[in-house]
Amino acid sequence: MTGQSWELVGAPNARDLGGLVGADGRRVRVGQLIRTPALGRLTDDDLPVLAKLGPACVVDLRDGTEIAVAPEDRFAGEPRVVRLPVHDPEHPVFTYVSAVLLGHDLDAYAELARQGTAGAMAAIYRWFVTGESARVGFAEAVRLAAQPENLPLVYHCSAGKDRTGWLTVILLTALGVDEAAIRADYLRNNELTESLRAVIVEAMRRRNPELDVDAVLPVLEVRAEYLDAGYAEVRRVHGSFDAYLRDGLGLTDSDLSALRVQLLE
């Protein structure tokens, strides 16, 4: 059960994490922690819905190069916008996802097809754990979520599934939500974006009749194997998720306690 009782047409995988059961059986507060894709495709009808959600702060995990070529985020009201770029130019997946979403020529496509896009996606999730900008950005996002003046908090990347997905794993684990519920939320992306994926693939196929759909889909979906790659890297480098929160992200007992105070009922 989550707190979602609304829908954003231009952000089909947006959802409220409220209602999930966290530490000591306390539920995540409804309407306080909202994950979305980039907000540049929101429709006019979406804006009143966003206004009701009333975000005080919007965290954008995209790099400036991604923001520059995307439609400008649409807001209701004037939330504080904090940019925490989690981006590695060495990983062409970032460029590729942006290119796919924006309908650009797929410059990175050939390289990704060579290395296998599913493998490239798993590598990205391992990088989420160890990469410098990932550790800095995710840690700062958690600290923002622990401060009452930033709530409700909306956070997003481009597609709202990978960087946004891993940040959700971090937040929900820190709140004491069990792994099965975290995994279920993560995998919901595919169901919520099914029609959008079909539209994107069809548009790409029209432009390129030789399109290898099997090479494209791993970038458009979330998969259990990606999440497992992230979890395995946490165990390899830190031994446990708790150690990752503290040593990898530098979150203190005070940070984690404040997060639970603000976000658990």
Side-chain angles (χ1 to χ4, degrees):
M1 175 209 168
T2 67
Q4 178 167 320
S5 58
W6 45 265
E7 186 178 299
L8 295 171
V9 174
N13 56 340
R15 53 208 187 267
D16 181 356
L17 299 173
L20 292 169
V21 178
D24 306 318
R26 297 159 64 198
R27 291 187 184 274
V28 178
R29 293 182 195 274
V30 171
Q32 298 302 295
L33 209 52
I34 297 159
R35 56 174 297 177
T36 72
L39 302 174
R41 288 185 175 76
L42 294 187
T43 67
D44 289 346
D45 288 342
D46 287 335
L47 295 179
V49 179
L50 188 62
K52 279 186 186 170
L53 296 173
C57 181
V58 175
V59 169
D60 187 343
L61 300 170
R62 296 174 298 171
D63 180 69
T65 57
E66 299 173 86
I67 294 170
V69 295
E72 190 172 344
D73 273 4
R74 301 188 73 187
F75 300 119
E78 296 183 354
R80 176 188 181 201
V81 178
V82 180
R83 291 181 174 169
L84 300 174
V86 173
H87 184 273
D88 182 8
E90 297 303 309
H91 280 105
V93 165
F94 285 119
T95 309
Y96 187 70
V97 170
S98 295
V100 167
L101 289 172
L102 296 166
H104 292 174
D105 291 335
L106 305 177
D107 296 335
Y109 175 78
E111 173 58 29
L112 274 167
R114 272 198 296 276
Q115 61 179 289
T117 45
M121 292 300 293
I124 280 283
Y125 278 70
R126 290 190 288 272
W127 177 84
F128 286 160
V129 177
T130 56
E132 178 66 18
S133 75
R135 291 189 297 117
V136 169
F138 290 142
E140 183 56 26
V142 173
R143 293 189 192 99
L144 290 170
Q147 297 164 8
E149 64 270 22
N150 295 322
L151 300 175
L153 181 81
V154 166
Y155 59 98
H156 71 79
C157 52
S158 286
K161 65 184 182 72
D162 299 310
R163 286 167 288 188
T164 298
W166 188 251
L167 176 54
T168 302
V169 171
I170 292 168
L171 287 163
L172 293 180
T173 304
L175 290 168
V177 176
D178 72 57
E179 188 178 315
I182 292 171
R183 185 176 291 269
D185 172 77
Y186 172 79
L187 291 173
R188 276 189 74 202
N189 177 84
N190 291 345
E191 163 203 340
L192 293 170
T193 59
E194 187 174 1
S195 58
L196 176 62
R197 278 201 309 284
V199 167
I200 290 173
V201 168
E202 185 52 38
M204 292 173 72
R205 195 185 269 121
R206 276 201 305 273
R207 248 192 349 265
N208 176 11
E210 305 298 310
L211 179 74
D212 179 0
V213 174
D214 288 339
V216 172
L217 283 177
V219 177
L220 298 177
E221 297 173 342
V222 297
R223 295 185 178 181
E225 68 199 76
Y226 307 162
L227 194 56
D228 290 341
Y231 278 132
E233 189 73 348
V234 165
R235 288 192 298 273
R236 185 186 75 80
V237 177
H238 297 289
S240 71
F241 212 99
D242 187 59
Y244 165 59
L245 292 175
R246 294 167 194 280
D247 303 331
L249 299 181
L251 297 169
T252 64
D253 286 346
S254 176
D255 292 330
L256 296 169
S257 173
L259 188 76
R260 291 187 177 193
V261 166
Q262 295 305 326
L263 288 168
L264 292 178
E265 289 178 348

